[in-house]
Amino acid sequence: MLSAPPARSVAVDVSSGSSAPRWRRARRFGRRALLGTLVLAALLLLLDWIFPPPLPDVSAGAATIVLARDGRPLRAFADARGVWRYPIEVDAVSPRYIEALLTYEDRWFWQHPGVNPLAVLRAAAQAVGAGRTVSGASTLTMQVARLIEPQPPGMLGKFRQALRALQLEWRLDKAEILQLYLNYAPFGGPIQGVEAAAWAYLGKSAAQLSQAEAALLAVLPQSPSRLRPDRHPERARAARDKVLQRLQDFEVWSAADVTAARQENVIARSLAIPQSAALLAERLRQAYPQQRSIRSSIDAELQQRLEAQLGAWVERLPPRTSAALLLVDNASLEARVYIGSARFGGAERFGHLDMVQAWRSPGSTLKPLLYGLALDAGLIHSGSLLVDAPQDFDGYRPENFDDRFRGPVSATSALQQSLNVPAVALLQALGSARFAARLQHGGLPLRMPAGARPNLSMILGGTEVRLEDLVAGFSALQRQGRSARLRLRSEDPLDERALLSPGAAWIVSEMLSTAPRPGEAEGRYARAGGSSMAFKTGTSYGFRDSWALGATPAVTLGVWIGRPDGTPLPGQFGAVTALPLLLAIADSLPAEYRRAAAPRPASVTAFTACWPLGTDVQASDESLCHRRLPAFALDGSVPLSFAPAGEAQAPHVLSLRVDARSGLQRSGDCRAAAEQTISLALWPRLASPWLSADERRRGSPPALSPDCRSNAVPAADLQIIGAREGSRIRRPSGSRTPPRLQLRAAGASGEVSWLLNGRLLGRLPAQQALQHEFDSAGPQDIVAIDGSARYGRLQIEVLPAGSE
């Protein structure tokens, strides 16, 4: 009988519950999995390092945009590829747009790692069931990957796009990815990015979008060409409403908000790139080539309105005429309106030339600054007696714009009427070189013709200035005499310099602001509440430049009109071409550009001037005051009347001995039994032809007693011969030739200036006769003045043709 084999003992690890080999295999598998994961991660990192995504620099690759002071685009410059894109941060975009975009394009954007597995499975299931692609699975990150690196169509392209999306999520945070989309999404034509699209289609920033506008711009990048609202508004509206419905379905926006948004029409302007202040924008872009966004000091609304107003104004003028306009804030010297050309880009009107920076003849626009410097130099006060009559300044013989002379005028009237002879007389007294140096120091450089030095002609336009410098200098009248360089950006430094004293600036401003506007002097028009403005016009030689400058307490405004090529514009001058535009603009400025006038400085005192002496009436013998007029003095200085060229400054008061009985003048040792001393206030001899008979009598010494030698002041002894005083002449019966006279100035020496009714007829040698045809009927006042200020007067009347 067989017995059973002995039992073998088997060791069992009751603590682990598994065999040792299985445990070792699991550990080996874990090590290999970890190693594989590390290798895969290293490989992915290596591939990411070898093939990095082409991340763009949002600012470096963008178009350059010049902004107004409130951030509105003025002009955009496309990048090298012709693309218009304005950089914008996520926080600067309306939250409504972000809500509409993410709800419609990628609700899980903030959660997924770049690829949404659920969306991929859903799209695959729909494609299998329908046999075609029903919905996409692209996330916003994948769209960004496609925008920065376009991929070929098909599965391979989608796979590469997904890998790039993972890379983007690895390298960037969600806000940075979203910012790339906001700046690179296509919106039709050359427009990229939501900010450029908002301005191009809607005329506003992406920060100001309504709910309807946000929904429209959210869907537009899906098919930019097919949905462009400027071309296909109905398609755009249907797509927008689809977005709105989804926002309601997901309860992002309320039903009431969506209903209200649906009521908005899709109104998009034609694709328009901003072109306001275009020449200023070009100037700033050249000045700051590295900046992609340049914020200027311009008031966008006022800029656009004045561009339209200036363009319409120039259309009335002859061909090839352009214009420039500059408006600056007096407090900061920042440009609020800058128009370098009336029609930017228009070849007919030289629209590419920036006339704000162009050197042009200033005409008479420098005169206010001359009068201010003359006040500071103690040469005049506002009521000083100046003589507007033919004068010779070392060979320079200026005439007025209208060829007329007014005789004795106050400094205020001379400035208001822009009379040339008084201005030249002041410049000669002040010094041409000194005047130019003071303007240069005050920030208003003058450019003289080649080889020329400062001279008397520059006060009448014989130099060149730039509109921007002229406006900055003119602003000193409202800035307590301080001028500064024009500022185009708020961050530009305010470099101020003293051009005039505060008192002189105030007096000149007062002199100009009290001038009647065109039509007011005749009572035809009233100011009707228009702004108080110190204004001055100017016209260069040959009608090449028309100017108007104005300064209110708040702003200074300058207008230039002319032909940039320098050809004349006959009949167009500052008072009729530029001034009406300047006054219309000043009267229509918004309330923020209106400010109360500054009070009179303590250095300025009001008094009554005594003519012909020029002194204060209260400090003068009333019998010597032939005329009285209100005036302002600076620092208490009341200088005596300004002497014309060739006349001595003193004496203005002449003391004479006269016979107490006859009133005749006694001289030297010629004595009378009863004498008395009288005082006479002498007018400048050159003013005599314009004085009344009473003024000439009061200012002329009595006749010399026959028994005395002649050492008295000579009286005017020039006589006009060729017609008798009070003659009446007319055209011969049946003749078409106007009546003609041949006149001579008997007793004259040197050169004789002939004036008819105050208008200069010409200058002739004393021995040469004047021949003149009187083609206008009525009284004729003929005056001849020689080089020694002797004069003669002849008054006749020309009868109308056919009169008896």
Side-chain angles (χ1 to χ4, degrees):
M1 173 176 178
L2 296 176
S3 61
R8 292 181 297 178
S9 62
V10 178
V12 179
D13 187 353
V14 295
S15 64
S16 64
S18 62
S19 65
R22 183 177 300 175
W23 177 82
R24 292 190 184 95
R25 286 196 300 271
R27 189 167 66 177
R28 284 196 300 270
F29 177 79
R31 289 175 179 173
R32 290 171 182 171
L34 177 60
L35 180 61
T37 301
L38 293 175
V39 170
L40 178 61
L43 179 61
L44 291 175
L45 288 174
L46 179 63
L47 290 174
D48 180 73
W49 180 71
I50 297 175
F51 303 105
L55 296 176
D57 183 341
V58 172
S59 61
T64 299
I65 181 169
V66 177
L67 307 171
R69 62 195 295 237
D70 62 358
R72 302 187 198 183
L74 293 175
R75 183 181 180 185
F77 299 88
D79 65 13
R81 298 177 297 119
V83 172
W84 305 87
R85 180 166 51 81
Y86 313 154
I88 192 169
E89 301 287 338
V90 175
D91 293 341
V93 178
S94 169
R96 295 171 176 174
Y97 177 77
I98 302 297
E99 292 170 351
L101 173 68
L102 297 184
T103 302
Y104 189 74
E105 291 287 354
D106 191 352
R107 289 193 302 126
W108 304 104
F109 171 73
W110 300 107
Q111 289 79 31
H112 64 65
V115 178
N116 190 341
L118 296 178
V120 172
L121 292 175
R122 184 199 67 230
Q126 290 175 340
V128 170
R132 59 183 177 83
T133 301
V134 176
S135 63
S138 292
T139 63
L140 203 67
T141 309
M142 293 174 67
Q143 294 183 45
V144 171
R146 185 178 69 249
L147 290 174
I148 64 176
E149 186 182 33
Q151 300 291 342
M155 293 302 297
L156 179 59
K158 284 289 185 182
F159 179 71
R160 295 177 60 180
Q161 183 179 323
L163 291 178
R164 285 302 195 197
L166 294 173
Q167 284 184 284
L168 290 176
E169 294 279 352
W170 170 264
R171 289 171 170 263
L172 306 175
D173 61 34
K174 289 290 187 177
E176 291 173 323
I177 294 171
L178 181 57
Q179 182 178 348
L180 287 175
Y181 181 87
L182 297 178
N183 283 278
Y184 285 92
F187 284 88
I191 304 300
Q192 276 189 4
V194 66
E195 181 72 355
W199 283 110
Y201 291 118
L202 306 174
K204 61 172 61 176
S205 169
Q208 302 168 322
L209 299 176
S210 68
Q211 289 178 311
E213 293 165 340
L216 172 65
L217 295 186
V219 73
L220 188 54
Q222 278 200 349
S223 183
S225 299
R226 190 177 68 86
L227 300 178
R228 272 181 57 168
D230 60 326
R231 294 180 178 176
H232 311 291
E234 291 305 319
R235 293 180 192 171
R237 178 166 190 158
R240 179 204 68 182
D241 290 349
K242 183 179 179 181
V243 176
L244 290 172
Q245 186 60 49
R246 182 168 297 186
L247 286 160
Q248 180 179 341
D249 292 344
F250 287 107
E251 299 182 350
V252 178
W253 293 350
S254 69
D257 288 341
V258 169
T259 300
R262 287 178 183 271
Q263 302 305 313
E264 285 190 31
N265 291 326
V266 174
I267 301 176
R269 59 184 186 179
S270 298
L271 197 59
I273 305 302
Q275 291 283 11
S276 188
L279 291 171
L280 167 66
E282 178 64 36
R283 177 176 178 176
L284 289 174
R285 185 175 73 134
Q286 293 180 4
Y288 308 100
Q290 303 304 318
Q291 294 188 24
R292 300 278 69 83
S293 179
I294 306 171
R295 188 180 292 262
S296 73
S297 60
I298 295 298
D299 181 328
E301 289 187 6
L302 190 59
Q303 173 79 26
Q304 292 177 2
R305 179 166 68 81
L306 295 190
E307 282 180 347
Q309 189 171 355
L310 184 63
W313 188 268
V314 171
E315 288 302 320
R316 312 175 187 178
L317 301 177
R320 305 199 318 279
T321 305
S322 187
L325 186 151
L326 185 63
L327 186 147
V328 303
D329 178 82
N330 287 340
S332 63
L333 252 293
E334 293 179 6
R336 295 289 180 251
V337 176
Y338 184 117
I339 306 175
S341 175
R343 290 292 186 194
F344 172 68
E348 180 185 357
R349 298 194 182 278
F350 304 90
H352 61 290
L353 296 179
D354 185 358
M355 301 308 295
V356 171
Q357 299 184 81
W359 291 93
R360 307 292 295 197
S361 167
S364 296
T365 56
L366 297 178
K367 288 177 181 176
L369 302 179
L370 169 64
Y371 278 73
L373 292 173
L375 282 162
D376 278 330
L379 297 175
I380 58 170
H381 52 71
S382 69
S384 286
L385 168 62
L386 304 175
V387 179
D388 180 40
Q391 297 185 48
D392 189 316
F393 300 93
D394 299 325
Y396 182 56
R397 294 173 294 189
E399 300 173 8
N400 289 321
F401 184 79
D402 60 0
D403 294 327
R404 294 181 60 235
F405 293 95
R406 278 93 174 157
V409 293
S410 69
T412 295
S413 295
L415 179 58
Q416 290 179 349
Q417 299 178 59
S418 196
L419 302 180
N420 290 340
V421 174
V424 172
L426 280 181
L427 182 58
Q428 185 182 57
L430 183 68
S432 301
R434 179 184 178 187
F435 178 63
R438 288 294 302 271
L439 294 186
Q440 175 80 34
H441 175 78
L444 206 172
L446 306 180
R447 191 169 78 171
M448 303 299 298
R453 304 183 67 179
N455 55 67
L456 297 180
S457 71
M458 63 187 183
I459 198 59
L460 306 184
T463 183
E464 290 183 336
V465 299
R466 297 180 299 187
L467 176 59
E468 63 179 75
D469 299 328
L470 200 54
V471 169
F474 203 79
S475 71
L477 301 183
Q478 297 288 356
R479 303 185 73 250
Q480 296 185 324
R482 300 191 310 275
S483 179
R485 186 183 300 276
L486 178 68
R487 302 170 69 201
L488 304 178
R489 306 179 306 156
S490 296
E491 58 263 42
D492 292 340
L494 179 59
D495 182 17
E496 291 185 298
R497 295 187 178 184
L499 180 57
L500 303 173
S501 70
W506 188 92
I507 292 175
V508 173
S509 178
E510 187 72 11
M511 293 163 71
L512 292 174
S513 62
T514 55
R517 295 186 178 188
E520 285 184 341
E522 298 82 11
R524 296 174 58 195
Y525 304 105
R527 195 162 304 195
S531 61
S532 175
M533 170 176 277
F535 64 88
K536 183 71 185 73
T537 62
T539 306
S540 69
Y541 176 78
F543 301 96
R544 289 174 171 83
D545 305 276
S546 297
W547 301 86
L549 295 171
T552 71
V555 299
T556 299
L557 174 64
V559 174
W560 171 89
I561 296 176
R563 285 176 171 160
D565 62 2
T567 55
L569 270 173
Q572 303 296 332
F573 49 94
V576 301
T577 305
L579 180 59
L581 174 63
L582 178 134
L583 295 177
I585 291 172
D587 289 344
S588 65
L589 288 176
E592 64 185 286
Y593 292 108
R594 299 180 184 275
R595 192 176 303 142
R600 189 173 75 194
S603 60
V604 177
T605 54
F607 72 102
T608 301
C610 169
W611 275 16
L613 302 179
T615 56
D616 188 341
V617 166
Q618 294 184 353
S620 307
D621 183 345
E622 289 192 6
S623 65
L624 301 179
C625 297
H626 301 183
R627 297 187 196 178
R628 295 169 174 82
L629 66 160
F632 292 107
L634 179 62
D635 295 326
S637 174
V638 184
L640 297 177
S641 293
F642 203 82
E647 293 192 34
Q649 182 75 15
H652 285 280
V653 177
L654 181 66
S655 294
L656 298 174
R657 292 184 295 110
V658 298
D659 190 315
R661 298 175 184 175
S662 66
L664 296 178
Q665 183 182 167
R666 315 298 293 184
S667 63
D669 296 331
C670 184
R671 298 285 181 177
E675 293 183 351
Q676 65 182 30
T677 300
I678 63 171
S679 295
L680 298 176
L682 298 181
W683 288 84
R685 293 183 61 190
L686 201 56
S688 297
W690 287 270
L691 299 178
S692 67
D694 180 64
E695 288 172 332
R696 282 197 294 271
R697 179 188 60 78
R698 294 175 63 189
S700 300
L704 184 66
S705 179
D707 59 337
C708 295
R709 291 181 307 178
S710 178
N711 60 357
V713 177
D717 54 2
L718 189 153
Q719 183 179 5
I720 299 176
I721 59 176
R724 289 185 299 176
E725 178 73 15
S727 297
R728 305 172 74 193
I729 61 176
R730 68 181 175 206
R731 179 186 305 168
S733 179
S735 172
R736 296 184 178 181
T737 303
R740 182 172 183 170
L741 290 179
Q742 179 173 290
L743 304 173
R744 293 183 180 274
S749 62
E751 190 175 60
V752 177
S753 297
W754 290 90
L755 285 74
L756 176 62
N757 297 326
R759 188 182 302 275
L760 182 68
L761 293 179
R763 292 184 173 92
L764 298 173
Q767 64 273 18
Q768 184 175 339
L770 170 72
Q771 300 187 33
H772 182 72
E773 292 181 349
F774 295 85
D775 51 7
S776 297
Q780 310 292 322
D781 184 26
I782 306 167
V783 174
I785 305 174
D786 73 358
S788 300
R790 293 179 295 179
Y791 76 95
R793 168 178 269 118
L794 175 67
Q795 294 180 325
I796 63 174
E797 183 178 4
V798 176
L799 301 176
S803 61
E804 295 297 332

